[in-house]
């Protein structure tokens, strides 16, 4: 039992006509013989909507008592027991009365869909969960009843019920929406023109996003590579701080305003590990961006602005979204910050958005993990604090009258030694201890300004100071090294976890894996090289990035995988400690390459199995369908040759007509078999040239009875690039199939039209139609649909038609005919320079 299909009427506000449209659709389906039932409809006392309930079967509701009041809700059990083909369920976002089967009505609908019942429902844009905050800011009203966006997005069909704010307010004023005593309050509050306009814009944008999803699916199914519209690609710069969630949501809203927008969140870490963020927060942000349809990337780069701009330009981004700096005001003396630098260096090809958030100017805080690979600035700072600062401290203490005592002086110099260890590591701290000891001896230990020490106790004090300074510096440096090792191990575990997850998920995208290698190690390009033997030249199995290495020795880093595979990275030389992780990537790349080849071999095996299946079907067809006309021909010939019967002229003519009909039918069957054989062996070579459809279609209709098909092919259509003979055979097969299933007296319509650089030929019949799940199967060889009698053909007509059309670079698909039946759509390439003249359109269109 398959899952039912969901159709949703989406509106911007109450009263636009969603329920009315749903009931009208139900009446249309009932007229076509569809079993429809009203599971729950709320007409709110609107007379025009209530009238449409007449003639529709209504499933009784369930009565529930809550706090002394009776309520009625949809009876899910009754609907499941009635089991209509289509159930009408109003107000998808409704919250059920406590005690109901499910808390929300959309959960009731999910049960109906799981039971195989098609559902038609309604919902307003303000009830979508993701738009709750936006709707509240527009109308001032918080919607308590909401439905998850994913429930609506999964609908098989979404139809926008649109109405201008002025028209909706007129409907309300006439009493068609609310009772007269509520109209004035509604018009002056929720239904203000500005509110309705904003809600209408939300509905149109949300629906446009859904339409774009359908468009991307259509382009993928039809292998359309040409650009139809611009695409926004937005890069979000993350620091690992809590403001990242705000930036991701803001970028997603920007992307939704453009057609096909894409969000790429990127976290850039320095190679020294000093900017490592909270793994938990990054995991939350990764999940958030993926839930919103974007992608998460981790890039290594020592210069954050340059790395961000390089990444943005590398993915052809159009916009960058950054958060306002979390640095405090005094920290700007250290530099302008990432946001200002990116905005200054982005150039005219990138728009930079600086987004405010709740963490502005609150300080960055200490990083979660700090590495011990100290940058150049840190090392210089450590030497300045360790060497210059003790000298300045000694001058300050000797030029003041305060006498702090030798113990306090030592503590001050010890503090500088610890600071130098924190900044620059062990060597600056060692120098600081040595300089501090000398300064203490020279300026603060009697005799003053001499290296000698008069009091033995002071000698002990200076020695203890030096020892303590060295111990503190050693401990600080060791802690930094251990922290660095922990940070590296954490990074390695993340990478290895990704690789293990990709193995478990069965991911087979080699390009995606190499792209991950490039991002992880901040490389310009990565190539997987292979060769057949030890002396054979290297070839590219897969590459990402510009100018990949052609040989392992040409790369900055190479990682061999066995004798005949190598991973080559170009961009920079990696430290030896990174090669362990790189080796794991290389091993996984080899596994993915083998898996892809196994998939290819499996596909070849499938084709062989399919060929065997076709041969088996061919034997069955020869044993029955081909023998049937032969048997008829043989019987007629034997009768004519018989000397026992004296045939009249009418009988003789009838037998000869049967022989001719059987021969024609046999010729048609053998022709289709030969055509299918040519397609299976790949020997169909179309001769493409510019052809007029009005020359081909009449010839294709010559094989069907007069009056069974009508053609409408305008002479103004552009010429199409096809093989005339193949197109004629394809159209003839399709028309013959349509005539076979079309009712008596109802001709098949053959119409053509131009759409941009394509021409569509539509063959429309009014037969029984084909269910959606069977539309692809009718193009398979040796397939008969429904109750087609044996002997009516071997089921190759549509398979041959699709093969011929695709061999000419076109497509063929099946659609439902409005009102019942099947429409076959042939899409062909228009010849260059053959566009039709623009049609004369009226100045005002009336719908």
């Amino acid at each position: 039992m398959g899952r039912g299909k969901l159709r949703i009427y989406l509106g911007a506000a109450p009263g636009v006509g969603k329920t009315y449209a749903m009931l009208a659709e139900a009446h249309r389906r009932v007229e076509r013989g569809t079993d429809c039932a009203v599971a729950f409809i709320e007409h709110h006392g609107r007379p025009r909507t209530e009238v449409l309930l007449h003639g529709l079967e209504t499933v009784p509701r369930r009565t529930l008592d809550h706090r002394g009041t009776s309520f009625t809700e949809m009876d899910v059990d009754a609907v499941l027991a009635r089991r209509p083909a289509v159930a009408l369920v109003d107000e998808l976002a409704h919250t059920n009365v406590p005690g109901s089967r499910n808390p929300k009505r959309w959960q009731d609908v999910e049960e109906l869909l799981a039971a195989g019942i098609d559902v038609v429902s309604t919902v307003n844009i303000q009830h979508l969960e993701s738009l709750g905050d936006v709707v509240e800011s527009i109308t001032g009203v918080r919607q308590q009843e909401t439905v998850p966006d994913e429930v609506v997005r999964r609908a098989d069909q979404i139809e926008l019920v649109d109405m201008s704010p002025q028209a909706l307010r007129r409907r309300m004023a006439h009493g068609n929406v609310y009772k007269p005593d509520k109209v004035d309050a509604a018009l002056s509050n929720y239904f203000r023109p500005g509110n309705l306009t904003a809600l209408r814009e939300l509905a149109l944008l949300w629906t446009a996003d859904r339409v774009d999803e359908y468009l991307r699916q259509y382009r993928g199914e039809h292998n359309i590579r040409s650009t139809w519209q611009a695409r926004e690609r937005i890069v979000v710069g993350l620091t690992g701080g809590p403001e990242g969630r705000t930036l991701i949501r803001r970028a997603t809203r920007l992307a939704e305003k453009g057609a096909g927008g894409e969000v790429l969140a990127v976290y850039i870490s320095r190679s020294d590990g000093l900017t490592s963020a909270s793994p938990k927060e990054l995991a939350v942000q990764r999940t958030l961006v993926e839930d919103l349809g974007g992608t998460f990337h981790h890039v290594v780069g020592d210069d954050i602005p340059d790395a961000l701009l390089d990444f943005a330009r590398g993915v052809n981004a159009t916009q960058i979204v950054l958060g306002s700096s979390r640095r405090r005001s005094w920290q700007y003396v250290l530099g302008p910050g990432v946001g200002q630098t990116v905005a200054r260096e982005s150039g005219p090809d990138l728009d930079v958005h600086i987004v405010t958030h709740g963490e502005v100017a609150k300080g960055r805080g200490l990083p979660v993990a700090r590495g011990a690979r100290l940058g150049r600035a840190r090392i210089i700072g450590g030497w300045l604090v360790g060497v210059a600062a003790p000298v300045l401290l000694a001058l300050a203490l000797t030029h003041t009258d305060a006498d702090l005592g030798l113990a306090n002086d030592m503590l001050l110099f010890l503090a500088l030694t610890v600071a130098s260890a924190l900044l620059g590591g062990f060597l600056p701290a060692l120098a600081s201890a040595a300089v501090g000891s000398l300064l203490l001896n020279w300026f603060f230990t009697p005799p003053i300004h001499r290296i000698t020490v008069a009091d033995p106790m002071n000698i002990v004090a200076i020695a203890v100071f030096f020892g303590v300074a060295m111990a503190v510096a050693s401990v600080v440096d060791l802690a930094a090294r251990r922290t660095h090792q922990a940070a590296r191990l954490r990074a390695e575990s993340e990478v290895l976890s990704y690789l293990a997850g990709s193995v478990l998920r069965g991911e087979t995208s080699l390009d995606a894996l190499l792209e991950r290698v490039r991002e992880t190690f901040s490389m310009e390009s990565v190539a997987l090289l292979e060769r057949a033997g030890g002396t054979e030249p290297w070839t590219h199995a897969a590459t990402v990035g510009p100018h990949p290495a052609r040989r392992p020795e040409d790369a900055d880093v190479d990682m061999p995988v066995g004798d005949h595979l190598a991973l080559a990275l170009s961009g920079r030389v990696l430290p030896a400690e990174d090669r362990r992780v790189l080796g794991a990537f290389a091993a996984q790349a080899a596994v993915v390459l083998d898996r892809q080849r196994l998939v290819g071999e499996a596909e070849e095996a499938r084709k062989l199995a399919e060929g065997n299946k076709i041969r088996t079907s061919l034997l069955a067809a020869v044993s029955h369908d081909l023998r049937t006309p032969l048997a008829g021909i043989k019987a007629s010939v034997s009768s004519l040759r018989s000397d026992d019967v004296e045939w009249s002229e009418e009988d003789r003519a009838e037998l000869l007509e049967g022989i001719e009909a059987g021969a024609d039918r046999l010729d048609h069957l053998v022709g289709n078999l030969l055509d299918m054989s040519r397609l299976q062996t790949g020997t169909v070579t179309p001769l493409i040239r510019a052809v007029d459809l009005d020359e081909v279609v009449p010839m294709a209709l010559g094989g069907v009875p007069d009056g069974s098909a009508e053609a409408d092919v305008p002479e103004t259509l552009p010429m199409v690039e096809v093989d005339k003979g193949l197109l004629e055979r394809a159209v003839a097969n399709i028309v013959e199939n349509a005539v076979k299933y079309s009712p008596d007296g109802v001709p098949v319509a053959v119409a053509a039209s131009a759409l941009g650089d394509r021409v569509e030929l539509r063959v429309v019949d009014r037969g029984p139609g084909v269910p959606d799940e069977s539309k692809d199967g009718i193009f398979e060889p040796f397939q008969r649909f429904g109750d087609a009698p044996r002997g009516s053909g071997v089921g190759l007509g549509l398979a041959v038609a699709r093969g011929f059309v695709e061999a000419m670079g076109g497509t063929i698909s099946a659609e439902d005919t409005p009102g019942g039946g099947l429409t076959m759509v042939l899409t062909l390439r228009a010849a260059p320079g053959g566009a039709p003249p623009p049609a004369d359109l009226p100045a005002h269109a009336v719908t």
Side-chain angles (χ1 to χ4, degrees):
M1 178 181 60
R3 178 179 173 85
K5 295 185 177 180
L6 176 61
R7 177 173 182 170
I8 293 179
Y9 286 92
L10 176 67
V16 296
K18 303 181 301 299
T19 305
Y20 188 96
M22 178 175 63
L23 292 174
E25 172 64 17
H27 279 283
R28 286 192 292 271
R29 296 195 182 196
V30 169
E31 291 173 0
R32 297 198 299 265
T34 304
D35 180 19
C36 294
V38 176
F40 188 94
I41 291 293
E42 190 63 63
H43 55 74
H44 297 289
R46 299 165 188 168
R48 296 185 178 180
T49 305
E50 189 174 0
V51 167
L52 284 181
L53 285 171
H54 299 315
L56 297 177
E57 178 186 357
T58 301
V59 178
R61 301 185 184 183
R62 180 185 178 190
T63 302
L64 298 168
D65 293 328
H66 180 62
R67 295 181 179 178
T69 306
S70 296
F71 299 88
T72 59
E73 294 286 3
M74 180 174 67
D75 193 338
V76 180
D77 292 328
V79 177
L80 292 174
R82 168 63 179 79
R83 196 171 184 78
V86 178
L88 308 182
V89 182
D90 206 3
E91 299 181 353
L92 185 63
H94 172 74
T95 301
N96 293 329
V97 175
S100 300
R101 184 187 183 98
N102 293 301
K104 303 287 289 188
R105 183 164 295 162
W106 65 264
Q107 295 171 324
D108 295 339
V109 169
E110 286 292 322
E111 285 198 38
L112 300 182
L113 294 173
I117 301 174
D118 293 348
V119 176
V120 183
S121 188
T122 64
V123 71
N124 284 327
I125 193 68
Q126 64 264 29
H127 294 299
L128 295 183
E129 199 169 71
S130 67
L131 300 177
D133 295 339
V134 180
V135 173
E136 183 179 11
S137 65
I138 294 172
T139 64
V141 178
R142 182 69 179 185
Q143 297 294 331
Q144 300 301 323
E145 295 186 330
T146 59
V147 59
D149 292 49
E150 187 58 28
V151 173
V152 183
R153 286 187 177 274
R154 284 201 307 263
D156 299 278
Q157 186 173 352
I158 299 175
E159 183 169 337
L160 178 66
V161 183
D162 191 26
M163 180 177 288
S164 67
Q166 294 78 11
L168 179 56
R169 286 172 61 85
R170 281 197 302 269
R171 286 196 64 196
M172 296 190 63
H174 294 159
N176 295 331
V177 179
Y178 292 142
K179 294 181 179 180
D181 57 339
K182 297 182 179 180
V183 171
D184 290 338
L187 290 175
S188 59
N189 291 286
Y190 191 92
F191 289 85
R192 293 194 299 266
N195 290 357
L196 295 178
T197 301
L199 292 174
R200 188 187 187 200
E201 182 183 19
L202 278 177
L204 291 171
L205 289 173
W206 197 93
T207 308
D209 178 66
R210 179 64 173 161
V211 170
D212 188 68
E213 292 180 12
Y214 285 135
L215 178 61
R216 290 198 298 270
Q217 181 180 356
Y218 176 86
R219 285 165 56 85
E221 292 175 351
H222 292 76
N223 198 28
I224 298 174
R225 302 299 182 187
S226 59
T227 301
W228 283 5
Q229 52 191 331
R231 180 189 182 108
E232 290 288 345
R233 183 165 288 180
I234 303 174
V235 170
V236 185
L238 302 178
T239 64
E243 77 281 358
R245 307 180 199 182
T246 302
L247 303 184
I248 293 171
R249 292 190 179 97
R250 177 60 175 162
T252 302
R253 290 198 294 270
L254 286 174
E256 289 175 350
K257 293 182 179 180
E262 182 180 358
V263 176
L264 299 91
V266 56
Y267 168 67
I268 301 175
S269 61
R270 288 194 176 96
S271 59
D272 59 11
L274 295 177
T275 57
S276 297
S278 167
K280 181 179 179 180
E281 182 62 31
L282 280 180
V284 170
Q285 294 176 15
R286 178 193 290 269
T287 302
L288 176 61
V289 71
E290 291 175 351
D291 289 343
L292 294 175
T295 56
F296 185 92
H297 304 267
H298 185 178
V299 176
V300 177
D302 289 326
D303 192 310
I304 303 298
D306 284 349
L308 181 60
L309 289 171
D310 290 343
F311 176 83
R313 294 191 176 104
V315 298
N316 296 320
T318 57
Q319 302 181 52
I320 296 178
V321 174
L322 299 173
S324 297
S325 178
R326 287 187 286 131
R327 298 194 301 175
R328 302 185 188 278
S329 301
W330 62 268
Q331 292 177 305
Y332 281 96
V333 301
L334 303 176
V338 173
Q340 295 183 23
T341 304
V342 170
R344 183 180 67 246
E345 299 180 0
S346 61
D349 57 336
L350 278 172
D351 296 333
V352 180
H353 302 268
I354 305 296
V355 179
T356 58
H357 49 84
E359 303 296 322
V360 174
K362 290 186 177 180
R364 292 183 178 272
L366 291 177
V368 174
R370 303 188 61 180
R373 284 187 181 176
L374 305 178
R376 183 178 181 182
R378 288 281 303 274
I379 295 176
I380 293 176
W383 281 101
L384 290 176
V385 172
V387 177
V391 175
L392 297 176
L393 176 62
L395 294 176
L397 292 176
T398 54
H399 287 76
T400 58
D401 296 334
D403 186 9
L404 302 178
L406 182 60
N408 291 326
D409 293 336
M410 287 185 175
L411 290 177
L412 291 176
F413 280 96
L414 182 62
L416 293 179
T417 301
V418 173
S420 64
L422 292 174
L423 283 175
F426 182 75
L427 291 180
L430 177 63
S432 177
V435 172
S437 300
L438 292 175
L439 293 175
L440 284 171
N441 186 10
W442 184 266
F443 289 103
F444 304 103
T445 304
I448 303 300
H449 299 158
R450 294 183 63 181
I451 298 298
T452 59
V453 178
D455 189 349
M457 296 302 296
N458 290 336
I459 297 177
V460 174
I462 293 176
V464 170
F465 164 78
F466 186 82
V468 170
M470 287 298 93
V472 170
S474 300
V475 170
V476 171
D477 184 68
L478 181 61
R481 293 179 183 275
R482 293 291 183 265
T483 304
H484 166 63
Q485 293 174 359
R488 281 199 55 82
L489 291 175
R490 177 175 59 82
E492 290 182 6
S493 66
E494 289 180 358
V495 173
L496 296 176
S497 175
Y498 163 79
L499 291 175
S502 65
V503 172
L504 294 176
R505 292 189 298 268
E507 295 179 355
T508 58
S509 176
L510 189 57
D511 290 341
L513 179 65
L514 297 186
E515 183 65 29
R516 179 69 184 229
V517 174
R518 190 170 74 94
E519 292 177 359
T520 300
F521 298 103
S522 188
M523 290 292 180
E524 294 180 0
S525 63
V526 178
L528 182 61
L529 303 174
E530 65 173 342
R531 60 181 176 181
T535 60
E536 298 294 328
W538 292 95
T539 59
H540 285 151
T543 63
V544 294
H547 311 300
R550 296 185 178 276
R551 299 180 304 170
E553 51 267 27
D554 296 336
D556 294 314
V557 181
D558 69 281
M559 174 61 67
V561 188
D563 296 332
H564 307 302
L565 276 177
L567 196 63
L569 289 72
S570 301
R572 65 188 181 95
V573 178
L574 289 180
E577 55 192 1
D578 287 341
R579 294 186 64 86
R580 180 175 58 179
V581 177
L582 182 59
F585 270 115
Q588 178 65 6
V591 171
V592 172
L593 181 61
D594 289 341
R595 184 181 299 148
Q596 286 184 347
R597 289 176 175 169
L598 289 174
V599 170
E601 293 175 1
E603 179 64 19
E604 292 296 328
R606 186 193 64 80
K607 292 181 179 179
L608 291 175
E610 185 176 329
N612 291 332
K613 178 181 177 182
I614 290 177
R615 282 189 288 273
T616 303
S617 301
L618 177 59
L619 291 175
V622 170
S623 65
H624 188 283
D625 296 285
L626 295 181
R627 293 181 63 183
T628 299
L630 283 174
I633 293 172
K634 180 175 177 56
S636 298
V637 172
S638 298
S639 299
L640 288 174
R641 296 187 61 188
S642 174
D643 297 332
D644 299 335
V645 181
E646 185 67 28
W647 301 101
S648 65
E649 290 298 328
E650 291 80 3
D651 293 336
R652 186 179 297 273
E654 184 178 351
L655 290 173
L656 289 174
E657 184 180 354
I659 293 173
E660 184 179 12
D664 291 340
R665 183 173 160 196
L666 187 61
D667 179 68
H668 180 73
L669 293 174
V670 172
N672 274 336
L673 287 171
L674 293 176
D675 289 338
M676 197 66 217
S677 175
R678 293 168 61 198
L679 289 171
Q680 290 294 322
T681 56
T683 57
V684 176
T685 306
L687 179 61
I688 304 297
R689 61 187 182 88
V691 176
D692 280 319
L693 275 181
D694 56 0
E695 298 178 2
V696 178
V697 173
M699 298 177 65
L701 300 184
V704 298
D706 293 339
S708 60
E710 296 178 350
D712 179 16
V713 182
E715 295 181 356
T716 57
L717 282 178
M719 303 177 75
V720 292
E721 289 188 327
V722 295
D723 184 303
K724 185 176 180 180
L726 295 184
L727 180 60
E728 180 184 338
R729 289 294 303 275
V731 176
N733 282 359
I734 294 172
V735 173
E736 289 174 7
N737 186 78
V739 170
K740 183 191 306 180
Y741 290 99
S742 189
D744 294 336
V746 181
V748 172
V750 182
S753 59
L755 296 174
D757 59 348
R758 296 170 292 119
V759 174
E760 283 190 353
L761 183 68
R762 308 176 77 87
V763 180
V764 183
D765 69 62
R766 295 292 178 177
V770 177
D772 291 340
E773 59 271 14
S774 302
K775 283 187 172 63
D776 287 335
I778 62 177
F779 295 101
E780 296 295 328
F782 303 103
Q783 297 295 320
R784 295 184 183 86
F785 177 71
D787 55 354
R790 296 288 295 180
S792 62
V794 293
L796 287 177
L798 294 182
V800 170
R802 168 173 274 190
F804 283 172
V805 171
E806 291 180 349
M808 295 182 291
T811 60
I812 180 172
S813 59
E815 299 177 355
D816 291 329
T817 301
L822 188 69
T823 298
M824 307 297 285
V825 183
L826 280 75
T827 304
L828 306 169
R829 294 195 306 264
D840 295 331
L841 299 178
H844 301 282
V846 180
T847 59

